[in-house]
Amino acid sequence: MTDLPTLEGDTLDAIAAATDEADLEATRVATLGKKGSISALLSTLGKMAPEQRKTRGAEINALKDKVAVAFEARRQTLREAALEARLAAETVDVTLPVRAGPLDTGRIHPISQVMDELSVIFADMGFSIAEGPDIETDDYNFTKLNFPPDHPARDMHDTFFFPAAADGTRKLLRTHTSPVQVRTMLGKEPPIRVICPGRTYRCDSDQTHTPMFHQVEGLVIDRSANLGNLKWVLQEFLRAFFEVDEVRMRFRPSFFPFTEPSMEVDIQCRRGDGEIRFGEGDDWLEILGCGMVHPNVLGNCGIDPQVYQGFAWGIGIDRIAMLKYGMPDLRAFFENDVRWLEHYGFRPLDIPSLIGGLSA
Ligand code: DAH
């Protein structure tokens, strides 16, 4: 017959020796489990005489209870020890500096920031934003804008053409944002007041030209829009954008097929010490093209030039971003050098507003 004190001693030793809960559980199964040593003892009771069964049964049950208590106590101890070890391993040194998260390290690209600045300024003047596709038809990019067929201006734009389709038409990467004027006029009744920021493409690359660049087009059509209004809108925009009290402008006659008269606008500036400042000095810098929308363009876009008139302008966004933020090389805008972005980029929550400041 199994010696109960020995079994008890061995079991208690095994319990004490268990190093973790899994180990302890294995010991428990080996003793109290269905096929465990103590359970096996209980199953021998059935074959005993009633008297013997009584005393032996009581002894085995006492052993079983004692062992069960020992298991529970050890389990508690091991659990607490495991928790202690985990807490010790996971301590956080709250005196360490906080690691920078995405809001601290991420940067908004200057172009995106300047687009937001433009939107804020023109929204305040009651303009909405219109967009069009980068891949345009020759018709919208040139023909409807009053470029005669085979006119050299089509080549002056260094256009990227796609191969001609079966019907002879060619798509192209839009060379300016002016086709969005066309789309807007075709889709909307006057009065119209929109700006159209977006990507544009020309086959050109040097310090101030990249094959992909950005423009913002402006278009106003109503019954009485005139050059005086145009001048005011541009003046207000330039003052707000460059964050100066006054910007002097100079309008020079120019030529664009889609405007008549057409003008280029220079703004007053001072150059020196590798720097350029606006609102002072007696130098001039050309920054945009503009004019009164050509009656042919209005007619091509379903607007009666006898009733409506309008003005439009186009500005190179990259150009004014370079000027405002002192970035010398346009190509760096598109090289994705994270050091450049860290230096010239904007914090994600520095959202431009006219009240809070555009470039904060
Ligand atoms: N589309 C012209 C360009 O890319 C810029 C421009 C000039 C746009 C005069 C206009 C405008 O809307 O009126 O060179």
Side-chain angles (χ1 to χ4, degrees):
M1 202 184 288
T2 311
D3 173 27
L4 294 188
T6 309
L7 180 58
E8 178 182 324
D10 289 351
T11 308
L12 292 180
D13 285 350
I15 291 173
T19 50
D20 57 31
E21 279 195 76
D23 202 5
L24 184 67
E25 177 62 10
T27 311
R28 193 192 64 78
V29 171
T31 47
L32 300 180
K34 250 192 203 156
K35 292 180 186 156
S37 47
I38 295 178
S39 310
L41 284 181
L42 285 170
S43 65
T44 60
L45 292 177
K47 292 189 192 113
M48 291 181 187
E51 270 310 302
Q52 195 190 7
R53 183 188 303 156
K54 207 171 166 192
T55 49
R56 186 71 178 165
E59 285 167 5
I60 297 172
N61 275 317
L63 168 63
K64 192 180 158 195
D65 291 347
K66 190 168 180 187
V67 164
V69 168
F71 269 118
E72 202 37 53
R74 183 72 183 146
R75 171 170 298 128
Q76 201 58 34
T77 311
L78 287 175
R79 190 169 289 168
E80 279 164 18
L83 182 62
E84 282 301 318
R86 197 171 145 207
L87 288 176
E90 291 180 1
T91 42
V92 174
D93 182 350
V94 293
T95 64
L96 285 176
V98 178
R99 196 172 297 157
L103 278 182
D104 304 293
T105 53
R107 288 289 181 275
I108 301 292
H109 195 283
I111 294 294
S112 306
Q113 185 80 7
V114 166
M115 286 210 186
D116 288 349
E117 293 180 16
L118 296 170
S119 311
V120 165
I121 298 170
F122 283 110
D124 188 57
M125 289 193 245
F127 283 75
S128 50
I129 296 180
E131 287 184 311
D134 291 11
I135 297 175
E136 259 302 356
T137 60
D138 191 284
D139 187 36
Y140 284 7
N141 196 81
F142 292 124
T143 312
K144 285 214 170 15
L145 288 166
N146 200 36
F147 286 79
D150 303 320
H151 190 278
R154 293 184 190 227
D155 293 331
M156 270 161 50
H157 276 206
D158 298 314
T159 313
F160 288 111
F161 286 102
F162 287 87
D167 63 1
T169 57
R170 290 179 300 179
K171 290 221 168 164
L172 47 80
L173 288 174
R174 66 179 180 193
T175 59
H176 50 180
T177 41
S178 304
V180 190
Q181 283 191 25
V182 175
R183 291 176 175 273
T184 307
M185 288 189 271
L186 286 172
K188 224 172 130 163
E189 294 283 313
I192 292 173
R193 244 188 271 173
V194 289
I195 57 162
C196 324
R199 292 187 171 143
T200 47
Y201 304 83
R202 291 185 199 183
C203 187
D204 206 352
S205 180
D206 61 32
Q207 201 178 351
T208 51
H209 296 88
T210 49
M212 189 279 297
F213 56 105
H214 301 82
Q215 287 189 341
V216 59
E217 192 83 10
L219 176 71
V220 172
I221 308 279
D222 62 27
R223 289 168 193 268
S224 64
N226 57 51
L227 281 181
N229 304 148
L230 167 65
K231 204 173 158 189
W232 182 85
V233 167
L234 293 177
Q235 174 95 40
E236 285 302 299
F237 161 66
L238 293 170
R239 252 172 9 121
F241 180 74
F242 287 111
E243 300 175 64
V244 290
D245 291 336
E246 201 59 57
V247 176
R248 275 176 56 215
M249 298 187 296
R250 185 168 76 173
F251 286 77
R252 277 183 295 104
S254 182
F255 171 78
F256 302 104
F258 35 91
T259 42
E260 181 58 38
S262 303
M263 284 152 294
E264 276 171 335
V265 175
D266 303 334
I267 55 172
Q268 174 199 27
C269 65
R270 179 193 302 287
R271 288 175 230 242
D273 302 333
E275 226 189 27
I276 185 158
R277 296 190 152 278
F278 297 100
E280 55 186 79
D282 39 32
D283 253 352
W284 296 95
L285 184 82
E286 182 203 321
I287 60 152
L288 63 92
C290 61
M292 295 300 294
V293 179
H294 198 293
N296 289 352
V297 175
L298 294 174
N300 290 342
C301 299
I303 291 180
D304 184 352
Q306 300 301 326
V307 179
Y308 291 105
Q309 56 191 37
F311 54 85
W313 69 89
I315 308 179
I317 293 183
D318 320 75
R319 187 94 194 272
I320 57 172
M322 285 170 84
L323 291 171
K324 179 167 178 182
Y325 293 112
M327 297 173 281
D329 192 330
L330 183 59
R331 290 167 297 192
F333 277 55
F334 311 114
E335 277 168 1
N336 280 332
D337 185 332
V338 79
R339 293 161 302 179
W340 184 90
L341 246 188
E342 267 165 20
H343 182 76
Y344 288 111
F346 292 81
R347 294 181 173 275
L349 293 181
D350 286 349
I351 298 163
S353 77
L354 288 181
I355 301 160
L358 283 184
S359 56

